[in-house]
């Protein structure tokens, strides 16, 4: 694929100077492309292009903005197979899931286009005679979208589509791990009639390109998805210009399995979610709390499910359940957490180590029992195909342990008792609770974390409004 060029003002532009970052296939350890570590100057060019394009874009009726969004979604559908291969090659997800990602991205853009006729202000009663108070919903201006690598193509749309339909323009910084799909996205955008400067992409590391974007005074909102540590740094940098932040951060999702649950369903759903994208999904179960009375039966079923997981190089075998971990440091982090838990008394009844397939970053599907609440494996985000299991006496204890975390993104419960399900929904301190199922979230819902899992959210009506600002008009006649 060679060296990617930033997409600024509707054109691909070479960057001079600065580091060159190699992009690896995580299943094969081979270099597949390169990106520039774009400087503050390159970022400033992209922000300037977005700023120039924004007033005219905002003045268009929203239904016309929607027309351009639908041109992009049509291009994505027509190229879904190609997009899927590019995602799979650089990120390591299996082709089937990469195809789902491509099609879901197109559907998501269409869904956001539908908001064109639904973005509404308010008319508010005045205390004064002869006065009308109008609340307008207006664009913020230039939005920056800073992305992780785990659903890299979809996340471009999750930032771009609500930003554009509400009249903002955007500069996207993809993860340095997964720029190839973003380059393809840009080339598809270039084939549409989208006015130049409305959508821009800059490549580079977080510490250079990402920071320059966050610190730029013309960026009015940073919409970020990624880790808590980076979210915290972005919030600190955004403070300089009082830039709005929308932060979708990490999670440590608890799955609660009660004694009356359908254990087959629970074991299957938890396993499928945990190996999806090789466990690198922010809302997949990261720890299981199972009622002591059914713990042995449940763990046996869960272990059998996890054991059946087929893994390897996703472009060499289309019958796999999961591919590699994104990079060596991710693999080492998982291995460190697992070996630390074993040293503290946990037992790996399945897996528990790096899988040697000759190349790539593979980890064995792992089930850990005898885990305790105070272990790092139960407190820290693993982001891999590893399930620590903790036994509990009842629902109250499970909820207390589930809430004992700095995170608050998603949670799940398996029960056939509606009272237990409702109690969990009322008492779990998480942005989402799934009952008798795991992820994904719905595009018409609202994906938003509590605690250190984030500020603000994405999707649905509330997600659209995140990209607007209010403007009150007091009209005395
Ligand atoms: P990361 O925080 O390491 O990187 C994310 C992005 O931030 C990258 O583009 C990176 O270059 C950039 N970045 C790094 N430092 C920066 C800085 N100082 N200023 C500006 N930008 C900077 O995260 P990751 O490893 O790419 O992604 C995995 C994490 O993302 C996990 O914690 C996962 O839970 C989280 N995630 C959350 C959601 C959600 O919806 N809440 C969805 C997907 C992933």
């Amino acid at each position: 694929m060679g060296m990617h060029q930033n997409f600024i003002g509707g054109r691909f532009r070479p960057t001079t100077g600065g580091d060159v970052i190699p992009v690896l296939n995580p299943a094969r350890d081979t270099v597949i492309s390169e990106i520039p570590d774009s400087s503050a100057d390159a970022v400033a060019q992209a922000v300037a292009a977005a700023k120039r394009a924004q007033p005219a874009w905002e003045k268009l009726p929203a239904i016309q903005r929607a027309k351009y969004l639908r041109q992009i979604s049509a291009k994505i559908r027509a190229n879904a197979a190609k997009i899927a291969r590019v995602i799979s090659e650089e990120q390591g997800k299996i082709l089937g899931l990469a195809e789902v990602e491509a099609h879901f991205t197109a559907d998501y853009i269409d869904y956001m286009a539908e908001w064109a006729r639904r973005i509404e202000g308010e008319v508010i009663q005045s205390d004064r005679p002869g006065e009308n108070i109008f609340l307008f919903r207006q664009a913020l201006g230039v939005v920056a979208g800073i992305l992780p690598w785990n659903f890299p193509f979809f996340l471009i749309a999750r930032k771009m589509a609500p930003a554009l339909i509400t009249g903002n323009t955007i500069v996207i910084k993809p993860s340095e791990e997964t720029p190839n799909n973003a380059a393809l996205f840009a080339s598809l955008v270039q084939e549409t009639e989208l006015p130049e400067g409305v959508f821009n992409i800059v490549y580079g590391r977080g510490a250079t390109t990402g920071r320059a974007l966050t610190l730029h005074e013309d960026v009015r909102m940073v919409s970020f998805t990624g880790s808590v540590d980076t979210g915290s740094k972005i919030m600190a940098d955004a403070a300089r210009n009082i830039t709005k932040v929308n932060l979708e951060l990490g999670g440590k999702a608890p799955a609660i399995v009660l004694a009356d649950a359908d254990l087959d369903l629970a074991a299957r759903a938890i396993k499928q979610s945990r190996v999806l994208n090789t466990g690198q999904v922010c809302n997949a179960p990261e720890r299981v709390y199972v009622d002591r009375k059914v713990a042995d039966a449940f763990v046996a079923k869960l272990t059998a499910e996890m054991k059946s997981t087929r893994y390897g190089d996703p472009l060499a075998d289309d019958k796999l359940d999961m591919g590699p971990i994104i990079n060596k440091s991710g693999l080492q982090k998982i291995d460190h957490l697992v070996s630390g838990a074993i040293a503290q008394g946990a037992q790996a009844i399945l897996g528990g180590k790096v899988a040697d397939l000759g190349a790539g970053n593979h980890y064995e599907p792992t089930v850990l029992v005898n885990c305790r609440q105070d272990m790092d494996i139960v407190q820290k985000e693993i982001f891999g195909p590893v399930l620590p299991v903790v036994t509990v006496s009842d629902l109250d204890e499970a909820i207390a342990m589930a809430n004992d975390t700095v995170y608050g993104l998603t949670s799940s419960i398996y029960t056939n008792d509606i009272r237990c399900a409702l109690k969990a929904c009322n008492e779990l301190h998480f942005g989402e609770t799934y009952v008798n199922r795991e992820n994904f979230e719905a595009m018409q819902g609202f994906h938003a974390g509590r605690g250190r899992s984030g500020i603000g959210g994405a999707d649905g009506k509330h997600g659209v409004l995140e990209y607007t600002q209010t403007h009150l008009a007091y009209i005395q006649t």
Side-chain angles (χ1 to χ4, degrees):
M1 270 191 168
M3 175 84 162
H4 291 303
Q5 297 184 349
N6 291 330
F7 184 67
I8 298 176
R11 285 183 203 87
F12 290 96
R13 293 174 197 266
T15 316
T16 47
D19 270 6
V20 170
I21 306 168
V23 180
L24 300 180
N25 174 330
R28 300 180 183 176
D29 302 326
T30 47
V31 175
I32 50 177
S33 68
E34 292 175 334
I35 52 167
D37 190 18
S38 301
S39 64
D41 282 349
V43 167
Q45 281 176 29
V47 174
K51 191 180 177 190
R52 269 194 306 277
Q54 198 273 328
W57 178 249
E58 185 177 5
K59 281 201 182 86
L60 284 179
I63 198 68
Q64 288 187 29
R65 296 199 290 268
K67 184 190 80 178
Y68 295 113
L69 286 182
R70 290 198 178 92
Q71 288 180 0
I72 299 173
S73 61
K75 287 279 172 198
I76 290 172
R77 275 195 196 92
N79 290 276
K82 184 175 169 190
I83 294 165
R85 281 194 77 80
V86 170
I87 298 173
S88 180
E89 185 186 36
E90 64 182 333
Q91 194 260 298
K93 62 167 58 87
I94 57 170
L95 263 180
L97 182 59
E99 275 163 23
V100 170
E101 181 172 348
H103 284 284
F104 190 82
T105 302
D107 292 351
Y108 192 89
I109 293 172
D110 284 349
Y111 166 76
M112 283 296 166
E114 286 173 18
W115 276 96
R117 292 197 178 96
R118 296 188 172 89
I119 302 160
E120 295 171 348
E122 294 168 23
V123 181
I124 298 167
Q125 290 297 316
S126 171
D127 294 345
R128 300 183 180 206
E131 181 172 81
N132 288 111
I133 305 177
F134 296 144
L135 182 150
F136 299 104
R137 285 271 171 195
Q138 293 173 336
L140 295 154
V142 177
V143 171
I146 301 181
L147 311 183
W149 44 263
N150 63 343
F151 287 91
F153 195 76
F154 165 60
L155 281 158
I156 299 174
R158 205 184 217 175
K159 311 291 185 203
M160 178 206 74
L164 265 51
I165 197 65
T166 46
N168 305 281
T169 53
I170 196 161
V171 180
I172 294 280
K173 192 203 89 64
S175 166
E176 51 273 49
E177 307 282 355
T178 51
N180 297 351
N181 72 89
L184 186 50
F185 199 111
S187 69
L188 296 176
V189 167
Q190 202 181 31
E191 290 173 16
T192 70
E193 296 168 316
L194 188 78
E196 58 188 43
V198 171
F199 174 82
N200 308 274
I201 293 190
V202 285
Y203 301 103
R205 294 199 175 91
T208 34
T209 316
R211 275 205 85 193
L213 204 45
T214 306
L215 287 167
H216 198 293
E217 63 181 354
D218 288 333
V219 167
R220 294 317 313 140
M221 170 176 172
V222 179
S223 181
F224 170 72
T225 302
S227 64
V228 173
D229 282 353
T230 306
S232 169
K233 286 181 192 152
I234 285 178
M235 212 170 155
D237 279 344
R240 188 164 92 177
N241 296 314
I242 318 292
T243 304
K244 178 175 179 176
V245 288
N246 175 288
L247 305 175
E248 304 283 328
L249 309 179
K252 187 70 190 170
I256 298 173
V257 181
L258 296 187
D260 74 321
D262 178 337
L263 297 185
D264 290 312
L265 176 129
R268 204 179 328 115
I270 291 171
K271 172 260 174 158
Q272 281 172 356
S273 180
R274 197 57 195 151
V275 305
L276 189 84
N277 209 20
T278 323
Q280 304 166 115
V281 183
C282 60
N283 54 9
E286 280 258 337
R287 50 195 169 122
V288 182
Y289 297 103
V290 58
D291 190 306
R292 193 159 283 124
K293 295 187 275 303
V294 295
D296 288 348
F298 170 74
V299 167
K301 289 176 193 293
L302 182 68
T303 307
E305 287 283 353
M306 288 291 277
K307 199 171 181 179
S308 68
T309 306
R310 295 157 300 185
Y311 58 94
D313 177 351
L315 289 184
D317 182 348
D318 61 5
K319 300 213 168 37
L320 300 179
D321 301 301
M322 66 179 202
I325 298 296
I326 186 71
N327 54 29
K328 300 284 176 222
S329 71
L331 191 67
Q332 279 156 11
K333 182 183 147 202
I334 296 165
D335 201 37
H336 182 72
L337 280 171
V338 171
S339 51
I342 291 170
Q344 290 174 308
Q347 186 196 350
I349 52 172
L350 182 72
K353 58 183 194 304
V354 170
D356 184 5
L357 302 188
N361 317 317
H362 301 277
Y363 202 82
E364 292 186 359
T366 297
V367 178
L368 294 171
V369 292
N370 299 337
C371 293
R372 293 188 316 270
Q373 185 66 13
D374 63 346
M375 290 177 175
D376 278 353
I377 198 100
V378 179
Q379 293 290 340
K380 295 191 172 164
E381 192 179 43
I382 306 167
F383 239 47
V386 175
L387 277 167
V389 180
V390 179
T391 51
V392 293
S393 308
D394 55 24
L395 177 57
D396 281 320
E397 190 182 17
I399 290 174
M401 286 186 173
N403 285 340
D404 171 30
T405 175
V406 296
Y407 295 99
L409 193 58
T410 67
S411 50
S412 64
I413 180 164
Y414 294 83
T415 177
N416 284 311
D417 185 337
I418 187 68
R419 289 165 305 179
C420 293
L422 280 174
K423 181 180 163 71
C425 294
N426 282 311
E427 296 181 17
L428 284 169
H429 299 159
F430 291 81
E432 282 157 39
T433 299
Y434 306 111
V435 178
N436 293 327
R437 78 155 171 101
E438 292 297 335
N439 55 343
F440 286 108
E441 66 273 22
M443 65 178 80
Q444 66 274 36
F446 187 52
H447 181 59
R450 290 169 63 158
R452 289 189 204 167
S453 289
I455 292 178
D459 315 333
K461 175 175 76 176
H462 302 288
V464 171
L465 294 182
E466 292 275 321
Y467 290 83
T468 65
Q469 61 186 3
T470 56
H471 183 167
L472 271 286
Y474 297 88
I475 302 171
Q476 188 77 58
T477 52

